Amino acid sequence: MSGADARKALAALVCGVVFGAGLTVSQMVNPDKVIAFLDVTGAWDPSLALVMASALTVAGLTQRLVTRRSAPIFDTSFRLTSRRDIDRHLLVGSALFGMGWGLVGLCPGPALALLGYLDAKAVAFVAAMVAGAAFHRFQLRGGRAATTEPASPHSGQ
Amino acid sequence: MSDFTPYSALLGGALIGAAASLLLLLNGRIAGISGILGGLIPPAAGETAWRLAFLLGLPLGMLALDLGRGVTAVPEIDTSMATTVVGGLLVGYGTSLGGGCTSGHGVCGLARLSLRSLVAVMTFMLAAMVTVYVWR
């Protein structure tokens, strides 16, 4: 691994730890807490709305300062998505994601955070998540092995 | 309202937002979990180490915090194994197709005032709420 890759990896590790801590403090890692937020017609717990609002505010305020720089600290350029379109993939994909999230009360970050406890269902969820994503990648390649990399649906990431 | 926890919500959210901005400042990347994971499927040269490191940080952060607070109770996933797997498939496929999740679209996309992300967030929120209403 090059020095540049090692620095980026260490930086990413620190960010992941802070992110994981945030998920834990906010209880996004607790399916019951998530379901209680999504259960708008039941005993509604709006906590997660506050989590999103807080995260948005901090990210929104600081990202302006960050992107004023010409480049990030450990890389040569910012990789921000340039996509602005709203197509049926966005709509269908988001709907399917929402269905999965509502079913189990877990989205990608919390599911990965829970892996630390080696819970069987968390492992199964993450494995299924990877399988689902891999299947979509496979579809992008036209359903067969390709020699070129397909364009990432998370363009820029 | 039941079990409303505003302070931990605000603090936790702030940490999430800070982590996202830090990743942007240090590595110039969007902290969208499904995107970071997706970039490993398949792995590409120069793109693997930082992704693995970030994703590894997530359980480490949780364990560190729980250890620090003396929390030993693991959050329970109370759905059946079958439902859990179906949910995982939907989340994995849907976030790949839709190009993001709660962190990618919800935090980072909305922070950048992206209309595309707003539509995504509204769609997955609605889908999730309807699913909870129907399923539970």
Side-chain angles (χ1 to χ4, degrees), chain A residues 30-33 35 102-106 119 121, chain B residues 75-81 83-84 135-136:
Chain A
N30 184 354
D32 286 344
K33 190 81 172 165
I35 300 292
L103 261 183
V104 182
L106 286 177
D119 175 75
K121 283 185 198 165
Chain B
E76 270 187 34
I77 301 167
D78 56 19
T79 44
S80 69
M81 181 56 90
T83 306
T84 304
W135 194 257
R136 289 187 182 242

Side-chain angles (χ1 to χ4, degrees), chain A residues 31-49:
Chain A
D32 286 344
K33 190 81 172 165
V34 174
I35 300 292
F37 164 71
L38 296 171
D39 190 14
V40 286
T41 59
W44 187 50
D45 176 356
S47 300
L48 258 37

Side-chain angles (χ1 to χ4, degrees), chain A residues 13-88:
Chain A
L13 180 65
V14 171
C15 295
V17 169
V18 176
F19 200 105
L23 289 176
T24 308
V25 170
S26 64
Q27 290 192 65
M28 285 284 299
V29 291
N30 184 354
D32 286 344
K33 190 81 172 165
V34 174
I35 300 292
F37 164 71
L38 296 171
D39 190 14
V40 286
T41 59
W44 187 50
D45 176 356
S47 300
L48 258 37
L50 212 52
V51 177
M52 295 268 310
S54 177
L56 259 177
T57 306
V58 173
L61 290 176
T62 49
Q63 74 103 26
R64 282 168 196 285
L65 296 171
V66 170
T67 50
R68 249 182 234 163
R69 294 172 54 95
S70 55
I73 292 177
F74 294 133
D75 209 335
T76 52
S77 64
F78 291 104
R79 309 272 196 107
L80 305 172
T81 179
S82 50
R83 292 193 70 166
R84 294 279 174 214
D85 57 315
I86 294 163
D87 63 355
R88 70 172 194 278

Side-chain angles (χ1 to χ4, degrees), chain B residues 8-20:
Chain B
S8 57
L10 286 172
L11 176 61
L15 285 170
I16 292 168

Side-chain angles (χ1 to χ4, degrees), chain A residues 101-141:
Chain A
W101 190 33
L103 261 183
V104 182
L106 286 177
C107 59
L112 288 159
L114 283 173
L115 282 184
Y117 285 103
L118 295 173
D119 175 75
K121 283 185 198 165
V123 174
F125 186 91
V126 172
M129 232 174 44
V130 171
F135 180 67
H136 180 244
R137 293 312 211 246
F138 186 66
Q139 275 189 317
L140 282 179
R141 292 182 174 207

